[in-house]
């Protein structure tokens, strides 16, 4: 039950190391924003560092040239092609034609064929020889996100959860939807109640899919014995496993 997390942290490359430092050296669970960066640097991590790459700059430039579309805004009108944005309900004497035109330009990212390219989550569960279980998640967040957005990565029970008495879970996908269900907490608790990893993972994914049939996500569950399984929705999901008895990593493919 030891936890550390950071969110919306800029200028520090090693987010997962910063999260571990929060766990090891504070009584807090989650640090965010500028102060999370300051904490990480004060604890010895390199920074402040410019984390932009030529690839990310090029991607951003193309997105801005396309009127900042697609994006995660909804029910808004921009003052120009890339904002600032204002709620439509706050605007008076709005031309209905203008509203319809903008609605056609705004595309919900969840319906685009972007798949894994809109996020870059790495989530891992580890069981050591003593039976101790740990999980960790690191992510750059969703592409084209609204500044300040924090996804499911640092949210306990959403992208990862572990309990040494039961097992662990890792998840990735549409974090804004998945974090509403704490799917990894659900998986671990389902295994505590007797479900095997496969049923627990499918049950957690099914709970989300029944409310949001268009979401994309994947879950990996592993019990304390090392038995594992995955479940997914909206995409073909892969995860890898390595155990002492294996000569190399094995990749498992899970179909929706």
């Amino acid at each position: 039950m030891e936890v550390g997390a950071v969110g919306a942290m800029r200028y520090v490359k090693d987010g997962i190391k910063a999260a571990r430092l929060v766990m090891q050296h504070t009584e807090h669970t989650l640090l965010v924003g500028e102060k999370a960066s300051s904490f990480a640097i004060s604890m010895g991590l390199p920074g402040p560092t410019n984390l932009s790459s030529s690839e990310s700059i090029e991607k951003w430039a193309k997105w801005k040239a396309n009127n900042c579309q697609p994006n995660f805004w909804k029910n808004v009108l921009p003052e120009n092609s890339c904002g600032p944005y204002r709620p439509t309900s706050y605007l008076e004497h709005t031309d209905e034609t203008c509203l319809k035109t903008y609605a056609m330009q705004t595309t919900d990212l969840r319906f685009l064929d972007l798949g894994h390219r809109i996020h870059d989550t790495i989530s891992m569960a580890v069981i050591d020889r003593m039976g101790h279980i740990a999980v960790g998640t690191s992510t750059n967040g969703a592409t084209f996100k609204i500044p300040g957005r924090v996804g499911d990565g640092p949210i306990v029970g959403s992208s990862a959860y572990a309990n040494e008495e039961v097992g662990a879970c890792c998840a990735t996908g549409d974090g804004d939807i998945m974090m509403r269900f704490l799917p990894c907490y659900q998986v671990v608790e389902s295994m505590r109640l007797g479900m095997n990893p496969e049923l627990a993972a499918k049950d957690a994914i099914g709970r989300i899919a029944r409310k949001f049939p268009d979401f994309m996500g994947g879950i990996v569950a592993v019990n304390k014995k090392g038995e594992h399984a995955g479940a997914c929705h909206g995409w073909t999901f892969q995860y890898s496993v390595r155990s002492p008895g294996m000569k190399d990593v094995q990749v498992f493919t899970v179909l929706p």
Side-chain angles (χ1 to χ4, degrees):
M1 304 305 292
E2 289 290 332
V3 183
V6 293
M9 186 180 70
R10 305 178 71 184
Y11 310 121
V12 177
K13 181 179 180 180
D14 299 315
I16 193 70
K17 290 183 179 180
R20 184 177 177 86
L21 289 169
V22 172
M23 180 182 72
Q24 291 177 321
H25 300 293
T26 83
E27 295 290 344
H28 299 310
T29 294
L30 173 63
L31 299 181
V32 299
E34 176 186 349
K35 296 305 180 182
S37 302
S38 298
F39 166 81
I41 294 170
S42 73
M43 297 300 291
L45 295 185
T49 305
N50 182 356
L51 301 181
S52 296
S53 65
S54 56
E55 180 184 358
S56 66
I57 293 173
E58 180 182 2
K59 183 184 295 185
W60 176 84
K62 290 181 179 179
W63 173 72
K64 188 173 183 180
N66 191 41
N67 296 323
C68 299
Q69 297 296 324
N71 61 43
F72 286 91
W73 292 95
K74 65 180 183 180
N75 303 323
V76 296
L77 283 175
E79 291 187 3
N80 59 58
S81 61
C82 288
Y85 298 88
R86 297 289 183 268
T88 54
S89 59
Y90 287 6
L91 302 179
E92 297 180 0
H93 310 296
T94 302
D95 187 332
E96 184 177 356
T97 302
C98 178
L99 276 172
K100 290 182 178 179
T101 300
Y102 180 68
M104 291 174 63
Q105 293 175 345
T106 303
T107 305
D108 191 331
L109 275 169
R110 298 186 182 95
F111 295 96
L112 295 179
D113 185 22
L114 295 177
H116 65 278
R117 289 174 289 170
I118 66 170
H119 58 90
D120 58 357
T121 304
I122 298 173
S123 192
M124 182 180 293
V126 178
I127 306 175
D128 71 10
R129 293 180 179 180
M130 300 298 294
H132 302 308
I133 304 176
V135 290
T137 296
S138 180
T139 178
N140 191 49
T143 304
F144 312 130
K145 59 184 175 289
I146 297 172
R149 180 258 188 185
V150 175
D152 66 326
I155 305 303
V156 179
S158 187
S159 72
Y161 194 75
N163 187 303
E164 292 184 357
E165 298 174 355
V166 183
C169 167
C170 298
T172 183
D174 188 346
D176 291 290
I177 295 298
M178 298 178 75
M179 67 193 299
R180 306 175 192 186
F181 294 81
L182 295 181
C184 276
Y185 177 80
Q186 181 65 56
V187 164
V188 172
E189 287 304 299
S190 292
M191 291 193 296
R192 183 197 299 276
L193 295 176
M195 284 191 185
N196 63 37
E198 182 177 5
L199 288 178
K202 288 182 176 180
D203 174 72
I205 285 289
R207 291 168 185 258
I208 307 173
R210 284 192 289 273
K211 294 290 186 179
F212 296 93
D214 296 307
F215 99 99
M216 293 193 306
I219 287 177
V220 175
V222 55
N223 62 23
K224 63 182 181 181
K225 299 177 183 179
E227 299 168 337
H228 59 86
C232 60
H233 183 84
W235 62 331
T236 297
F237 179 67
Q238 290 184 317
Y239 68 96
S240 59
V241 174
R242 177 72 182 268
S243 66
M246 299 168 61
K247 294 182 178 180
D248 200 356
V249 172
Q250 184 174 355
V251 177
F252 293 83
T253 299
V254 183
L255 300 177

